[in-house]
Amino acid sequence: MTVLPITIWGEPVLHRRAAEVEVFDDDLRTLIADMFETNDKANGVGLAAPQVGVGRRLFVYKFENDDGAPPSGVIINPVLTLSKISGALPDPDEEEEGCLSFPGGQFPLKRAEWARVQGFDGDGNPVDFEATDWFARVIQHEYDHLDGKLYVNRLIDRYARKATKLAKKSGWGVPGLTWMPGVDPDPFGH
């Protein structure tokens, strides 16, 4: 298994819809194994293929949950069904998200509290489970990457302005920027 560099906000693959996975082969299984290794080394709870420069519709997750879903897995070509998202302002103490592709930034975001996840595993077998609370948030966050969105694209104005300032100060927003888990300092201080 190989640890892959993680792309940073501004890399084109992060900002466009990923293509469906059509072939379930050894190359795909190698990518999945590398993504798990990268996610572990980055202390992540999830990692989508565009975050490692691959424009395909798959993500891995590692999150203990009370929903009866495996604590780690891969979802290929996912389809999500969500509960309604509250119109209330996000709670800055309880609903703060971060992203490995927006390293070090953490901002509050309102998400659906329930998600049904359907898709396939690395061998093409169907996957179907429900996720609630923070697990649902993780699933939605990774799914957004497959549609070319980062969580910062969903922030309310005051947090969006702060995210924009952080990106500008960090020099992001241009192609070619990455960080390497296990080599570069952990942007979240794990």
Side-chain angles (χ1 to χ4, degrees):
M1 292 182 286
T2 303
V3 175
L4 304 170
I6 296 178
T7 58
I8 295 176
W9 183 82
E11 183 64 34
V13 72
L14 289 172
H15 304 286
R16 64 176 173 250
R17 188 179 194 282
E20 298 286 326
V21 172
E22 296 178 2
V23 179
F24 293 78
D25 60 7
D26 287 341
D27 288 341
L28 178 67
R29 285 182 279 283
T30 298
L31 173 61
I32 293 166
D34 291 347
M35 287 174 62
F36 273 116
E37 183 74 13
T38 303
N39 189 54
D40 283 347
K41 195 62 100 170
N43 298 302
V45 295
L47 185 69
Q51 292 183 274
V52 293
V54 178
R56 294 287 179 255
R57 294 187 74 76
L58 71 134
F59 64 82
V60 298
Y61 69 87
K62 183 177 180 182
F63 194 85
E64 292 291 332
N65 64 83
D66 295 324
D67 298 316
S72 68
V74 60
I75 309 294
I76 299 172
N77 298 335
V79 174
L80 294 190
T81 305
L82 303 175
S83 62
K84 185 176 177 173
I85 300 172
S86 165
L89 291 175
D91 183 326
D93 296 321
E94 300 293 326
E95 296 178 306
E96 192 173 74
E97 281 188 35
C99 179
L100 297 175
S101 289
F102 204 85
Q106 294 178 286
F107 302 98
L109 177 64
K110 199 55 104 172
R111 293 273 193 187
E113 294 187 15
W114 174 89
R116 180 177 181 194
V117 185
Q118 296 171 290
F120 300 93
D121 68 13
D123 296 316
N125 299 311
V127 174
D128 188 343
F129 62 84
E130 294 180 10
T132 59
D133 303 321
W134 268 95
F135 187 36
R137 178 178 294 272
V138 169
I139 297 297
Q140 291 168 78
H141 180 109
E142 299 311 325
Y143 181 86
D144 274 354
H145 280 296
L146 306 183
D147 282 342
K149 294 183 176 121
L150 277 72
Y151 85 105
V152 294
N153 299 120
R154 295 187 177 277
L155 298 174
I156 62 172
D157 285 347
R158 73 174 156 204
Y159 299 122
R161 285 190 298 274
K162 289 180 181 182
T164 300
K165 285 180 186 177
L166 174 60
K168 186 175 180 178
K169 177 182 173 190
S170 301
W172 303 335
V174 296
L177 300 177
T178 62
W179 70 277
M180 185 60 116
V183 175
D184 294 323
D186 184 324
F188 295 98
H190 295 109

